[in-house]
Amino acid sequence: MPRSHGADIDGLIQLLSRLPGLGPRSAKRAALQMLKKKDSVMVPLARALADVAERVVTCTTCGNIDTHDPCHVCADARRDRATICVVEDVADLWALDRSESFRGLYHVLGGTLSALDGVGPEDLNIAGLLARVDAGGIGEVILALNATVDGQTTSHYLAERLKASGVKVTALAHGVPVGGELDYLDDGTLAAALRARGSVE
Ligand SMILES: [Zn+2]
């Protein structure tokens, strides 16, 4: 098979095609664009990748990914520190924060309970959440889990576990399609779901 690029560039394309949203064809286009714009794109990108790769950490407080621990969200004194929004994944945290409809703190669980996949409470960052609430100063915990069966099971489990602490527990209003993931919702829908959140019994 004729090859139009050498082994090194081929390797670069292979790596790029592992990224979400980039198939082999768009990976090839991205690689070519970088090579053509070496000084303005490729070199700064390579430096940024190496820099972030070296310093990336998981926030020991909330589970966010950042180059600082505590992360920039936990360290932000202007935020409402009495409200914690619980999400499944860092992508959900980023989506909610992008929507600018929530200015409190977050807690990333790292997934949902799943009997099918053998995911139990000890596999998620639940102990960390309970510890934060037990430490005091928290007035409300908003459960912003996805509207999937596992997401809702996890939501109920957390509400039950948080009951003893006496903290107010609310959940996102899901006017969103079942199975809809937060990351894919537009900012307006996210903001509406937050505003219309209700207490969890
Ligand atoms: Zn954090």
Side-chain angles (χ1 to χ4, degrees):
M1 204 169 80
R3 291 226 316 216
S4 45
H5 29 75
D8 291 334
I9 290 174
D10 212 34
L12 175 64
I13 294 168
Q14 292 272 337
L15 284 170
L16 285 170
S17 67
R18 289 190 200 167
L19 296 173
L22 283 189
R25 191 182 290 249
S26 31
K28 210 172 279 188
R29 278 170 50 202
L32 186 57
Q33 190 68 3
M34 283 196 284
L35 292 161
K36 280 182 178 170
K37 298 194 170 177
K38 189 184 145 198
D39 293 333
S40 63
V41 177
M42 195 169 206
V43 172
L45 177 65
R47 284 201 187 115
L49 282 172
D51 180 47
V52 175
E54 190 166 318
R55 299 191 295 128
V56 67
V57 282
T58 299
C59 176
T60 47
T61 303
C62 76
N64 190 16
I65 294 174
D66 204 340
T67 51
H68 302 276
D69 181 17
C71 71
H72 75 281
V73 176
C74 288
D76 186 349
R78 290 163 305 175
R79 284 177 181 262
D80 166 17
R81 311 194 71 81
T83 310
I84 295 179
C85 184
V86 180
V87 293
E88 289 176 26
D89 193 82
V90 171
D92 302 322
L93 187 164
W94 289 2
L96 277 162
D97 227 49
R98 180 199 63 208
S99 80
E100 294 193 340
S101 44
F102 178 72
R103 275 288 167 261
L105 302 176
Y106 293 92
H107 193 85
V108 181
L109 288 178
T112 52
L113 298 173
S114 170
L116 211 62
D117 297 325
V119 182
E122 66 287 348
D123 299 314
L124 304 174
N125 190 13
I126 291 175
L129 173 66
L130 298 174
R132 287 176 79 183
V133 172
D134 284 344
I138 305 298
E140 181 182 359
V141 173
I142 304 171
L143 302 172
L145 301 170
N146 290 316
T148 55
V149 172
D150 286 342
Q152 294 313 297
T153 303
T154 309
S155 210
H156 287 120
Y157 176 84
L158 290 176
E160 203 56 41
R161 290 291 304 268
L162 287 163
K163 218 175 226 173
S165 69
V167 74
K168 181 181 177 191
V169 181
T170 57
L172 279 196
H174 278 294
V176 304
V178 171
E181 293 188 51
L182 294 186
D183 192 23
Y184 292 102
L185 296 180
D186 65 85
D187 295 353
T189 308
L190 268 177
L194 257 171
R195 274 197 307 272
R197 68 184 182 271
S199 284
V200 179
E201 292 310 317

